[in-house]
Amino acid sequence: MNKVTRFLAIIMLFIIAGNNLFGQDEEKESPFSIGVDLYSRYIWRGINLGGSSPSIQPYVEIGFGTDDHAFAFGAWGAYSLSGAQTGQEADLYLSYTVKEMFTLTVTDYFFPDETLDSYKYFNYRTDWEEIDAGADQTGHVIEASLGFNGTESFPVSVLFAMNVWGADARKYEEQGGAMVPVDKIVMSKYLEIGYSADIRGTGMDVFAGFSLDNPGTDIGEPAGFYGQESAGLINLGLTVSHELQISDRFNLPVSGSLITNPEAGNIFIIFGVSF
């Protein structure tokens, strides 16, 4: 049984066990959710991952459990509407939420480049000796994150995320007066703090995200996983969301965001709509 088969088997056992433990009542709504978001740009943690094109972002998820213990397994993607942007994204994630307050998530990010043969989904190679010799590196990044979701009386959220495996930034060490790559990853870390409020039916989310790793670019080390040249604030902004009433039975969620990356000196204004 190869790695992919084992992974799929574990997911299926997880879903079956979860349904047996927290069986869905037939009268309750379906545990499946499906949808798609359309954004004028794809900005993730202060980084432009969608080029100069709008991005369509579909998802599908199955969730089960109770208010005290909830599980979810889902797939999410981002696809540029421009043929010039060949980098895309296809992710899988597994999450566990306790009392709707704390969420532990493991995400398998995959960033394929459609013009490169090396970005094969089932390539899990991380042996640096082979990669240095010309072998293709995996395009997967596994991230573990822990989030505090805030409460109604304390609407402040905190997220800590760390890459634990895969195509993360590679560690460098000084050897003989030069910075050379070694056989370890940085395990890049990200911290985000947010505040949410509802103002007359319009949602407002303020956020500040920080890269916690400090690459030594001044001594020859490459930029970090988030493109940063130093540790600092990379994702600062505001999102305003509202539901437009189209009819008595249909509302259309829309959002607008102002996002800055102070470390890189970038600013983005984004519009989104959800279906």
Side-chain angles (χ1 to χ4, degrees):
M1 184 181 291
N2 60 30
K3 293 181 179 179
V4 177
T5 306
R6 288 198 298 268
F7 177 75
L8 293 176
I10 290 170
I11 293 301
M12 290 305 299
L13 287 173
F14 178 86
I15 293 173
I16 294 170
N19 276 321
N20 288 337
L21 287 172
F22 308 101
Q24 297 287 334
D25 239 336
E26 291 185 2
E27 297 181 358
K28 293 183 178 180
E29 61 184 20
S30 169
F32 293 95
S33 59
I34 185 172
V36 62
D37 302 317
L38 177 63
Y39 288 98
S40 56
R41 291 290 186 275
Y42 175 29
I43 309 300
W44 179 73
R45 296 180 182 174
I47 311 168
N48 183 1
L49 294 184
S52 58
S53 167
S55 175
I56 186 168
Q57 300 175 1
Y59 68 88
V60 59
E61 180 183 279
I62 177 172
F64 46 86
T66 65
D67 290 342
D68 291 335
H69 303 280
F71 297 85
F73 171 66
W76 183 93
Y79 300 92
S80 171
L81 297 182
S82 169
Q85 177 66 23
T86 58
Q88 311 293 353
E89 183 172 348
D91 306 334
L92 299 176
Y93 62 88
L94 192 63
S95 69
Y96 168 57
T97 301
V98 181
K99 296 186 180 298
E100 302 183 341
M101 290 179 57
F102 298 95
T103 300
L104 175 64
T105 304
V106 176
T107 304
D108 175 6
Y109 294 99
F110 182 64
F111 303 97
D113 188 328
E114 296 173 345
T115 64
L116 300 177
D117 290 337
S118 59
Y119 279 86
K120 301 295 186 181
Y121 189 83
F122 301 114
N123 172 13
Y124 298 99
R125 184 181 292 111
T126 58
D127 188 321
W128 288 110
E129 290 186 2
E130 294 184 20
I131 294 169
D132 288 340
D136 298 331
Q137 182 185 5
T138 183
H140 292 263
V141 178
I142 304 296
E143 175 193 87
S145 67
L146 178 64
F148 170 68
N149 305 319
T151 64
E152 187 174 346
S153 59
F154 186 70
V156 175
S157 61
V158 180
L159 172 71
F160 174 76
M162 181 172 69
N163 294 341
V164 296
W165 182 88
D168 188 17
R170 188 172 178 181
K171 276 192 174 183
Y172 277 63
E173 290 181 356
E174 186 175 356
Q175 297 180 8
M179 298 298 292
V180 297
V182 295
D183 61 349
K184 297 179 181 179
I185 60 173
V186 173
M187 299 185 74
S188 299
K189 293 161 284 294
Y190 176 80
L191 175 68
E192 183 173 301
I193 302 172
Y195 171 79
S196 300
D198 186 280
I199 304 173
R200 297 181 181 179
T202 297
M204 180 187 71
D205 296 282
V206 181
F207 50 88
F210 305 84
S211 171
L212 303 182
D213 302 288
N214 190 25
T217 55
D218 56 333
I219 56 174
E221 189 174 359
F225 178 76
Y226 295 101
Q228 84 280 7
E229 297 186 357
S230 62
L233 185 59
I234 63 172
N235 186 29
L236 176 66
L238 165 71
T239 295
V240 176
S241 56
H242 187 72
E243 289 194 358
L244 298 178
Q245 184 171 353
I246 305 302
S247 68
D248 292 339
R249 303 181 63 181
F250 178 68
N251 291 337
L252 183 66
V254 297
S255 66
S257 299
L258 172 65
I259 303 172
T260 63
N261 184 331
E263 198 276 338
N266 293 333
I267 185 170
F268 309 95
I269 300 175
I270 310 301
F271 173 78
V273 58
S274 300
F275 301 93

